[in-house]
PDB file of all heavy atoms in Angstrom:
ATOM      1  N   TRP A 282      -0.980  -8.254   1.435  1.00 94.00           N
ATOM      2  CA  TRP A 282       0.423  -8.498   1.825  1.00 94.00           C
ATOM      3  C   TRP A 282       1.316  -7.300   1.434  1.00 94.00           C
ATOM      4  O   TRP A 282       1.131  -6.779   0.365  1.00 94.00           O
ATOM      5  CB  TRP A 282       1.054  -9.754   1.318  1.00 94.00           C
ATOM      6  CG  TRP A 282       0.419 -11.004   1.989  1.00 94.00           C
ATOM      7  CD1 TRP A 282      -0.704 -11.706   1.712  1.00 94.00           C
ATOM      8  CD2 TRP A 282       1.022 -11.669   3.069  1.00 94.00           C
ATOM      9  NE1 TRP A 282      -0.961 -12.738   2.448  1.00 94.00           N
ATOM     10  CE2 TRP A 282       0.060 -12.747   3.429  1.00 94.00           C
ATOM     11  CE3 TRP A 282       2.144 -11.537   3.810  1.00 94.00           C
ATOM     12  CZ2 TRP A 282       0.353 -13.673   4.414  1.00 94.00           C
ATOM     13  CZ3 TRP A 282       2.345 -12.458   4.881  1.00 94.00           C
ATOM     14  CH2 TRP A 282       1.474 -13.475   5.152  1.00 94.00           C
ATOM     15  N   LYS A 283       2.184  -6.964   2.359  1.00 93.00           N
ATOM     16  CA  LYS A 283       2.939  -5.791   2.082  1.00 93.00           C
ATOM     17  C   LYS A 283       4.432  -5.856   2.661  1.00 93.00           C
ATOM     18  O   LYS A 283       4.514  -6.407   3.688  1.00 93.00           O
ATOM     19  CB  LYS A 283       2.288  -4.431   2.679  1.00 93.00           C
ATOM     20  CG  LYS A 283       2.890  -3.128   2.254  1.00 93.00           C
ATOM     21  CD  LYS A 283       2.004  -1.990   2.717  1.00 93.00           C
ATOM     22  CE  LYS A 283       2.418  -0.652   2.242  1.00 93.00           C
ATOM     23  NZ  LYS A 283       1.535   0.433   2.805  1.00 93.00           N
ATOM     24  N   ASN A 284       5.405  -5.304   1.899  1.00 92.00           N
ATOM     25  CA  ASN A 284       6.778  -5.198   2.460  1.00 92.00           C
ATOM     26  C   ASN A 284       6.991  -3.870   3.129  1.00 92.00           C
ATOM     27  O   ASN A 284       6.806  -2.800   2.542  1.00 92.00           O
ATOM     28  CB  ASN A 284       7.789  -5.412   1.214  1.00 92.00           C
ATOM     29  CG  ASN A 284       7.870  -6.774   0.696  1.00 92.00           C
ATOM     30  OD1 ASN A 284       7.612  -7.686   1.386  1.00 92.00           O
ATOM     31  ND2 ASN A 284       8.247  -6.893  -0.520  1.00 92.00           N
ATOM     32  N   LEU A 285       7.366  -3.984   4.448  1.00 91.00           N
ATOM     33  CA  LEU A 285       7.670  -2.741   5.167  1.00 91.00           C
ATOM     34  C   LEU A 285       9.158  -2.694   5.475  1.00 91.00           C
ATOM     35  O   LEU A 285       9.890  -3.845   5.698  1.00 91.00           O
ATOM     36  CB  LEU A 285       6.828  -2.717   6.414  1.00 91.00           C
ATOM     37  CG  LEU A 285       5.331  -2.768   6.325  1.00 91.00           C
ATOM     38  CD1 LEU A 285       4.678  -2.768   7.680  1.00 91.00           C
ATOM     39  CD2 LEU A 285       4.913  -1.592   5.480  1.00 91.00           C
ATOM     40  N   THR A 286       9.739  -1.605   5.551  1.00 87.00           N
ATOM     41  CA  THR A 286      11.167  -1.439   5.824  1.00 87.00           C
ATOM     42  C   THR A 286      11.516  -0.683   7.130  1.00 87.00           C
ATOM     43  O   THR A 286      10.601   0.113   7.559  1.00 87.00           O
ATOM     44  CB  THR A 286      11.884  -0.676   4.651  1.00 87.00           C
ATOM     45  OG1 THR A 286      11.305   0.658   4.537  1.00 87.00           O
ATOM     46  CG2 THR A 286      11.685  -1.340   3.405  1.00 87.00           C
ATOM     47  N   LEU A 287      12.567  -1.055   7.774  1.00 83.00           N
ATOM     48  CA  LEU A 287      12.991  -0.456   8.985  1.00 83.00           C
ATOM     49  C   LEU A 287      14.488   0.081   8.699  1.00 83.00           C
ATOM     50  O   LEU A 287      15.328  -0.765   8.458  1.00 83.00           O
ATOM     51  CB  LEU A 287      13.020  -1.384  10.136  1.00 83.00           C
ATOM     52  CG  LEU A 287      13.441  -0.851  11.502  1.00 83.00           C
ATOM     53  CD1 LEU A 287      12.641   0.263  11.970  1.00 83.00           C
ATOM     54  CD2 LEU A 287      13.558  -2.021  12.487  1.00 83.00           C
ATOM     55  N   THR A 288      14.740   1.393   8.941  1.00 75.00           N
ATOM     56  CA  THR A 288      15.977   1.905   8.720  1.00 75.00           C
ATOM     57  C   THR A 288      16.890   1.590   9.996  1.00 75.00           C
ATOM     58  O   THR A 288      16.500   1.847  11.158  1.00 75.00           O
ATOM     59  CB  THR A 288      15.960   3.437   8.562  1.00 75.00           C
ATOM     60  OG1 THR A 288      15.208   3.713   7.472  1.00 75.00           O
ATOM     61  CG2 THR A 288      17.482   4.021   8.329  1.00 75.00           C
ATOM     62  N   LEU A 289      18.097   0.952   9.758  1.00 75.00           N
ATOM     63  CA  LEU A 289      18.970   0.614  10.858  1.00 75.00           C
ATOM     64  C   LEU A 289      19.882   1.722  11.202  1.00 75.00           C
ATOM     65  O   LEU A 289      20.164   2.604  10.359  1.00 75.00           O
ATOM     66  CB  LEU A 289      19.787  -0.594  10.392  1.00 75.00           C
ATOM     67  CG  LEU A 289      18.887  -1.845  10.007  1.00 75.00           C
ATOM     68  CD1 LEU A 289      19.768  -2.919   9.536  1.00 75.00           C
ATOM     69  CD2 LEU A 289      17.950  -2.272  11.134  1.00 75.00           C
ATOM     70  N   PRO A 290      20.435   1.752  12.385  1.00 66.00           N
ATOM     71  CA  PRO A 290      21.301   2.905  12.886  1.00 66.00           C
ATOM     72  C   PRO A 290      22.481   2.942  11.874  1.00 66.00           C
ATOM     73  O   PRO A 290      23.243   1.963  11.628  1.00 66.00           O
ATOM     74  CB  PRO A 290      21.872   2.382  14.217  1.00 66.00           C
ATOM     75  CG  PRO A 290      20.729   1.524  14.724  1.00 66.00           C
ATOM     76  CD  PRO A 290      20.163   0.731  13.573  1.00 66.00           C
ATOM     77  N   PRO A 291      22.722   4.155  11.346  1.00 59.00           N
ATOM     78  CA  PRO A 291      23.737   4.312  10.326  1.00 59.00           C
ATOM     79  C   PRO A 291      25.125   4.752  10.867  1.00 59.00           C
ATOM     80  O   PRO A 291      25.177   5.136  12.006  1.00 59.00           O
ATOM     81  CB  PRO A 291      23.074   5.493   9.500  1.00 59.00           C
ATOM     82  CG  PRO A 291      22.405   6.371  10.563  1.00 59.00           C
ATOM     83  CD  PRO A 291      21.941   5.474  11.585  1.00 59.00           C
ATOM     84  N   ASP A 292      26.042   4.622   9.938  1.00 63.00           N
ATOM     85  CA  ASP A 292      27.330   5.254  10.285  1.00 63.00           C
ATOM     86  C   ASP A 292      27.253   6.797   9.877  1.00 63.00           C
ATOM     87  O   ASP A 292      26.878   7.106   8.809  1.00 63.00           O
ATOM     88  CB  ASP A 292      28.524   4.602   9.458  1.00 63.00           C
ATOM     89  CG  ASP A 292      28.869   3.255   9.908  1.00 63.00           C
ATOM     90  OD1 ASP A 292      28.493   2.895  11.020  1.00 63.00           O
ATOM     91  OD2 ASP A 292      29.620   2.552   9.252  1.00 63.00           O
ATOM     92  N   THR A 293      27.745   7.638  10.839  1.00 49.00           N
ATOM     93  CA  THR A 293      27.723   9.043  10.499  1.00 49.00           C
ATOM     94  C   THR A 293      29.122   9.708  10.849  1.00 49.00           C
ATOM     95  O   THR A 293      29.983   8.838  11.173  1.00 49.00           O
ATOM     96  CB  THR A 293      26.731   9.804  11.368  1.00 49.00           C
ATOM     97  OG1 THR A 293      27.021   9.668  12.782  1.00 49.00           O
ATOM     98  CG2 THR A 293      25.287   9.097  11.254  1.00 49.00           C
ATOM     99  N   ASN A 294      29.176  10.936  10.867  1.00 43.00           N
ATOM    100  CA  ASN A 294      30.469  11.523  11.133  1.00 43.00           C
ATOM    101  C   ASN A 294      30.884  11.295  12.519  1.00 43.00           C
ATOM    102  O   ASN A 294      32.040  11.504  12.894  1.00 43.00           O
ATOM    103  CB  ASN A 294      30.434  13.054  10.825  1.00 43.00           C
ATOM    104  CG  ASN A 294      31.614  13.717  10.974  1.00 43.00           C
ATOM    105  OD1 ASN A 294      32.717  13.278  10.534  1.00 43.00           O
ATOM    106  ND2 ASN A 294      31.757  14.890  11.643  1.00 43.00           N
ATOM    107  N   GLN A 295      29.947  11.147  13.497  1.00 44.00           N
ATOM    108  CA  GLN A 295      30.202  11.006  14.867  1.00 44.00           C
ATOM    109  C   GLN A 295      29.946   9.626  15.482  1.00 44.00           C
ATOM    110  O   GLN A 295      30.012   9.427  16.751  1.00 44.00           O
ATOM    111  CB  GLN A 295      29.477  12.090  15.709  1.00 44.00           C
ATOM    112  CG  GLN A 295      29.907  13.472  15.422  1.00 44.00           C
ATOM    113  CD  GLN A 295      29.307  14.460  16.417  1.00 44.00           C
ATOM    114  OE1 GLN A 295      28.674  14.142  17.360  1.00 44.00           O
ATOM    115  NE2 GLN A 295      29.513  15.721  16.181  1.00 44.00           N
ATOM    116  N   GLN A 296      29.617   8.698  14.578  1.00 55.00           N
ATOM    117  CA  GLN A 296      29.354   7.316  15.104  1.00 55.00           C
ATOM    118  C   GLN A 296      29.624   6.262  14.063  1.00 55.00           C
ATOM    119  O   GLN A 296      29.491   6.427  12.905  1.00 55.00           O
ATOM    120  CB  GLN A 296      27.932   7.169  15.661  1.00 55.00           C
ATOM    121  CG  GLN A 296      26.931   7.057  14.599  1.00 55.00           C
ATOM    122  CD  GLN A 296      25.563   6.893  15.228  1.00 55.00           C
ATOM    123  OE1 GLN A 296      25.191   7.374  16.310  1.00 55.00           O
ATOM    124  NE2 GLN A 296      24.693   6.124  14.494  1.00 55.00           N
ATOM    125  N   MET A 297      30.031   5.097  14.580  1.00 68.00           N
ATOM    126  CA  MET A 297      30.202   3.842  13.727  1.00 68.00           C
ATOM    127  C   MET A 297      29.362   2.784  14.406  1.00 68.00           C
ATOM    128  O   MET A 297      29.488   2.535  15.548  1.00 68.00           O
ATOM    129  CB  MET A 297      31.638   3.374  13.638  1.00 68.00           C
ATOM    130  CG  MET A 297      32.590   4.435  12.866  1.00 68.00           C
ATOM    131  SD  MET A 297      34.159   3.805  12.710  1.00 68.00           S
ATOM    132  CE  MET A 297      33.923   2.304  11.624  1.00 68.00           C
ATOM    133  N   ALA A 298      28.467   2.262  13.680  1.00 71.00           N
ATOM    134  CA  ALA A 298      27.566   1.312  14.242  1.00 71.00           C
ATOM    135  C   ALA A 298      27.783  -0.142  13.696  1.00 71.00           C
ATOM    136  O   ALA A 298      28.085  -0.249  12.461  1.00 71.00           O
ATOM    137  CB  ALA A 298      26.061   1.743  13.799  1.00 71.00           C
ATOM    138  N   ARG A 299      27.641  -1.185  14.546  1.00 78.00           N
ATOM    139  CA  ARG A 299      27.742  -2.511  14.113  1.00 78.00           C
ATOM    140  C   ARG A 299      26.560  -3.355  14.571  1.00 78.00           C
ATOM    141  O   ARG A 299      26.300  -3.313  15.829  1.00 78.00           O
ATOM    142  CB  ARG A 299      28.966  -3.201  14.670  1.00 78.00           C
ATOM    143  CG  ARG A 299      29.335  -4.556  14.185  1.00 78.00           C
ATOM    144  CD  ARG A 299      30.611  -5.083  14.641  1.00 78.00           C
ATOM    145  NE  ARG A 299      30.626  -5.369  16.105  1.00 78.00           N
ATOM    146  CZ  ARG A 299      30.305  -6.512  16.580  1.00 78.00           C
ATOM    147  NH1 ARG A 299      29.922  -7.539  15.859  1.00 78.00           N
ATOM    148  NH2 ARG A 299      30.391  -6.718  17.935  1.00 78.00           N
ATOM    149  N   LEU A 300      25.761  -3.797  13.728  1.00 82.00           N
ATOM    150  CA  LEU A 300      24.548  -4.541  14.041  1.00 82.00           C
ATOM    151  C   LEU A 300      24.806  -5.841  14.714  1.00 82.00           C
ATOM    152  O   LEU A 300      25.640  -6.669  14.221  1.00 82.00           O
ATOM    153  CB  LEU A 300      23.745  -4.812  12.719  1.00 82.00           C
ATOM    154  CG  LEU A 300      22.380  -5.450  12.896  1.00 82.00           C
ATOM    155  CD1 LEU A 300      21.474  -4.457  13.644  1.00 82.00           C
ATOM    156  CD2 LEU A 300      21.829  -5.726  11.543  1.00 82.00           C
ATOM    157  N   LYS A 301      24.212  -6.004  15.918  1.00 84.00           N
ATOM    158  CA  LYS A 301      24.434  -7.353  16.651  1.00 84.00           C
ATOM    159  C   LYS A 301      23.325  -8.278  16.326  1.00 84.00           C
ATOM    160  O   LYS A 301      23.568  -9.510  16.078  1.00 84.00           O
ATOM    161  CB  LYS A 301      24.401  -6.997  18.188  1.00 84.00           C
ATOM    162  CG  LYS A 301      25.668  -6.264  18.634  1.00 84.00           C
ATOM    163  CD  LYS A 301      25.718  -6.322  20.219  1.00 84.00           C
ATOM    164  CE  LYS A 301      25.814  -7.692  20.681  1.00 84.00           C
ATOM    165  NZ  LYS A 301      25.956  -7.617  22.206  1.00 84.00           N
ATOM    166  N   SER A 302      22.055  -7.856  16.388  1.00 88.00           N
ATOM    167  CA  SER A 302      20.930  -8.806  16.209  1.00 88.00           C
ATOM    168  C   SER A 302      19.721  -8.048  15.809  1.00 88.00           C
ATOM    169  O   SER A 302      19.413  -6.793  16.062  1.00 88.00           O
ATOM    170  CB  SER A 302      20.610  -9.646  17.416  1.00 88.00           C
ATOM    171  OG  SER A 302      20.200  -8.822  18.445  1.00 88.00           O
ATOM    172  N   ILE A 303      18.838  -8.751  14.923  1.00 91.00           N
ATOM    173  CA  ILE A 303      17.468  -8.232  14.661  1.00 91.00           C
ATOM    174  C   ILE A 303      16.570  -9.390  14.973  1.00 91.00           C
ATOM    175  O   ILE A 303      16.593 -10.475  14.395  1.00 91.00           O
ATOM    176  CB  ILE A 303      17.284  -7.830  13.098  1.00 91.00           C
ATOM    177  CG1 ILE A 303      18.409  -6.700  12.750  1.00 91.00           C
ATOM    178  CG2 ILE A 303      15.912  -7.211  12.865  1.00 91.00           C
ATOM    179  CD1 ILE A 303      18.251  -6.224  11.296  1.00 91.00           C
ATOM    180  N   THR A 304      15.543  -9.065  15.903  1.00 92.00           N
ATOM    181  CA  THR A 304      14.487 -10.023  16.147  1.00 92.00           C
ATOM    182  C   THR A 304      13.155  -9.454  15.858  1.00 92.00           C
ATOM    183  O   THR A 304      12.826  -8.447  16.425  1.00 92.00           O
ATOM    184  CB  THR A 304      14.647 -10.419  17.675  1.00 92.00           C
ATOM    185  OG1 THR A 304      15.996 -10.858  17.924  1.00 92.00           O
ATOM    186  CG2 THR A 304      13.768 -11.618  17.965  1.00 92.00           C
ATOM    187  N   PRO A 305      12.327 -10.233  15.046  1.00 93.00           N
ATOM    188  CA  PRO A 305      12.542 -11.392  14.318  1.00 93.00           C
ATOM    189  C   PRO A 305      13.507 -11.164  13.102  1.00 93.00           C
ATOM    190  O   PRO A 305      13.752 -10.052  12.733  1.00 93.00           O
ATOM    191  CB  PRO A 305      11.201 -11.892  13.823  1.00 93.00           C
ATOM    192  CG  PRO A 305      10.420 -10.572  13.796  1.00 93.00           C
ATOM    193  CD  PRO A 305      10.920  -9.808  14.837  1.00 93.00           C
ATOM    194  N   GLU A 306      13.968 -12.181  12.543  1.00 91.00           N
ATOM    195  CA  GLU A 306      14.837 -12.090  11.337  1.00 91.00           C
ATOM    196  C   GLU A 306      14.125 -11.424  10.126  1.00 91.00           C
ATOM    197  O   GLU A 306      13.103 -11.859   9.743  1.00 91.00           O
ATOM    198  CB  GLU A 306      15.532 -13.347  11.028  1.00 91.00           C
ATOM    199  CG  GLU A 306      16.498 -13.358   9.901  1.00 91.00           C
ATOM    200  CD  GLU A 306      17.113 -14.654   9.564  1.00 91.00           C
ATOM    201  OE1 GLU A 306      16.908 -15.551  10.398  1.00 91.00           O
ATOM    202  OE2 GLU A 306      17.841 -14.755   8.594  1.00 91.00           O
ATOM    203  N   PRO A 307      14.673 -10.464   9.501  1.00 92.00           N
ATOM    204  CA  PRO A 307      14.067  -9.810   8.337  1.00 92.00           C
ATOM    205  C   PRO A 307      14.168 -10.641   7.120  1.00 92.00           C
ATOM    206  O   PRO A 307      15.010 -11.641   7.086  1.00 92.00           O
ATOM    207  CB  PRO A 307      14.824  -8.498   8.145  1.00 92.00           C
ATOM    208  CG  PRO A 307      16.208  -8.907   8.683  1.00 92.00           C
ATOM    209  CD  PRO A 307      15.960  -9.764   9.839  1.00 92.00           C
ATOM    210  N   SER A 308      13.265 -10.465   6.191  1.00 91.00           N
ATOM    211  CA  SER A 308      13.281 -11.285   4.892  1.00 91.00           C
ATOM    212  C   SER A 308      14.522 -10.791   4.047  1.00 91.00           C
ATOM    213  O   SER A 308      15.005 -11.576   3.121  1.00 91.00           O
ATOM    214  CB  SER A 308      12.019 -11.048   4.153  1.00 91.00           C
ATOM    215  OG  SER A 308      11.799  -9.694   3.918  1.00 91.00           O
ATOM    216  N   ASN A 309      14.940  -9.561   4.248  1.00 89.00           N
ATOM    217  CA  ASN A 309      16.106  -9.025   3.391  1.00 89.00           C
ATOM    218  C   ASN A 309      16.704  -7.783   4.078  1.00 89.00           C
ATOM    219  O   ASN A 309      15.944  -7.084   4.762  1.00 89.00           O
ATOM    220  CB  ASN A 309      15.580  -8.632   2.085  1.00 89.00           C
ATOM    221  CG  ASN A 309      16.658  -8.224   1.082  1.00 89.00           C
ATOM    222  OD1 ASN A 309      17.735  -8.630   1.264  1.00 89.00           O
ATOM    223  ND2 ASN A 309      16.411  -7.252   0.134  1.00 89.00           N
ATOM    224  N   VAL A 310      18.026  -7.576   3.885  1.00 87.00           N
ATOM    225  CA  VAL A 310      18.626  -6.434   4.325  1.00 87.00           C
ATOM    226  C   VAL A 310      19.446  -5.806   3.144  1.00 87.00           C
ATOM    227  O   VAL A 310      20.159  -6.469   2.483  1.00 87.00           O
ATOM    228  CB  VAL A 310      19.761  -6.664   5.495  1.00 87.00           C
ATOM    229  CG1 VAL A 310      20.461  -5.474   5.793  1.00 87.00           C
ATOM    230  CG2 VAL A 310      18.991  -7.265   6.732  1.00 87.00           C
ATOM    231  N   ARG A 311      19.111  -4.590   2.950  1.00 84.00           N
ATOM    232  CA  ARG A 311      19.730  -3.898   1.681  1.00 84.00           C
ATOM    233  C   ARG A 311      19.961  -2.417   1.963  1.00 84.00           C
ATOM    234  O   ARG A 311      19.673  -1.874   2.945  1.00 84.00           O
ATOM    235  CB  ARG A 311      18.813  -4.036   0.553  1.00 84.00           C
ATOM    236  CG  ARG A 311      17.379  -3.322   0.766  1.00 84.00           C
ATOM    237  CD  ARG A 311      16.471  -3.409  -0.436  1.00 84.00           C
ATOM    238  NE  ARG A 311      15.141  -2.812  -0.053  1.00 84.00           N
ATOM    239  CZ  ARG A 311      14.917  -1.481  -0.192  1.00 84.00           C
ATOM    240  NH1 ARG A 311      15.945  -0.638  -0.531  1.00 84.00           N
ATOM    241  NH2 ARG A 311      13.635  -0.981   0.104  1.00 84.00           N
ATOM    242  N   LEU A 312      20.637  -1.831   0.930  1.00 76.00           N
ATOM    243  CA  LEU A 312      20.916  -0.329   0.973  1.00 76.00           C
ATOM    244  C   LEU A 312      19.841   0.298   0.068  1.00 76.00           C
ATOM    245  O   LEU A 312      19.592  -0.154  -1.053  1.00 76.00           O
ATOM    246  CB  LEU A 312      22.306  -0.127   0.388  1.00 76.00           C
ATOM    247  CG  LEU A 312      23.525  -0.523   1.275  1.00 76.00           C
ATOM    248  CD1 LEU A 312      24.804  -0.195   0.582  1.00 76.00           C
ATOM    249  CD2 LEU A 312      23.495   0.205   2.550  1.00 76.00           C
ATOM    250  N   ASP A 313      19.305   1.399   0.626  1.00 64.00           N
ATOM    251  CA  ASP A 313      18.321   2.122  -0.329  1.00 64.00           C
ATOM    252  C   ASP A 313      19.183   3.064  -1.183  1.00 64.00           C
ATOM    253  O   ASP A 313      20.375   3.140  -1.147  1.00 64.00           O
ATOM    254  CB  ASP A 313      17.329   2.837   0.581  1.00 64.00           C
ATOM    255  CG  ASP A 313      17.910   3.927   1.462  1.00 64.00           C
ATOM    256  OD1 ASP A 313      19.105   4.229   1.319  1.00 64.00           O
ATOM    257  OD2 ASP A 313      17.184   4.421   2.233  1.00 64.00           O
ATOM    258  N   LYS A 314      18.471   3.849  -1.963  1.00 58.00           N
ATOM    259  CA  LYS A 314      19.051   4.714  -2.927  1.00 58.00           C
ATOM    260  C   LYS A 314      19.847   5.855  -2.246  1.00 58.00           C
ATOM    261  O   LYS A 314      20.728   6.452  -2.891  1.00 58.00           O
ATOM    262  CB  LYS A 314      18.042   5.369  -3.910  1.00 58.00           C
ATOM    263  CG  LYS A 314      16.973   6.225  -3.144  1.00 58.00           C
ATOM    264  CD  LYS A 314      15.960   6.897  -4.057  1.00 58.00           C
ATOM    265  CE  LYS A 314      14.977   7.669  -3.454  1.00 58.00           C
ATOM    266  NZ  LYS A 314      13.970   8.250  -4.366  1.00 58.00           N
ATOM    267  N   ASP A 315      19.561   6.144  -0.980  1.00 52.00           N
ATOM    268  CA  ASP A 315      20.261   7.164  -0.252  1.00 52.00           C
ATOM    269  C   ASP A 315      21.464   6.657   0.488  1.00 52.00           C
ATOM    270  O   ASP A 315      22.166   7.363   1.256  1.00 52.00           O
ATOM    271  CB  ASP A 315      19.374   7.941   0.701  1.00 52.00           C
ATOM    272  CG  ASP A 315      18.289   8.675  -0.001  1.00 52.00           C
ATOM    273  OD1 ASP A 315      18.575   9.249  -1.061  1.00 52.00           O
ATOM    274  OD2 ASP A 315      17.135   8.684   0.506  1.00 52.00           O
TER     275      ASP A 315
END
């Protein structure tokens, strides 16, 4: 068994992103060290 991560669209100097949905639902959403 293994935990895999998916990087979500970030806020940058030229964009602001708002997450609408993730299918299927993740076990956790967090910020990484970067």
Side-chain angles (χ1 to χ4, degrees):
W282 284 85
K283 192 173 182 180
N284 287 332
L285 299 179
T286 60
L287 177 65
T288 301
L289 303 178
D292 286 346
T293 68
N294 187 47
Q295 293 191 7
Q296 72 177 36
M297 294 184 66
R299 186 173 71 88
L300 184 64
K301 287 189 65 177
S302 64
I303 304 181
T304 307
E306 186 176 350
S308 59
N309 184 33
V310 177
R311 62 178 176 82
L312 291 176
D313 66 7
K314 62 181 181 179
D315 296 322

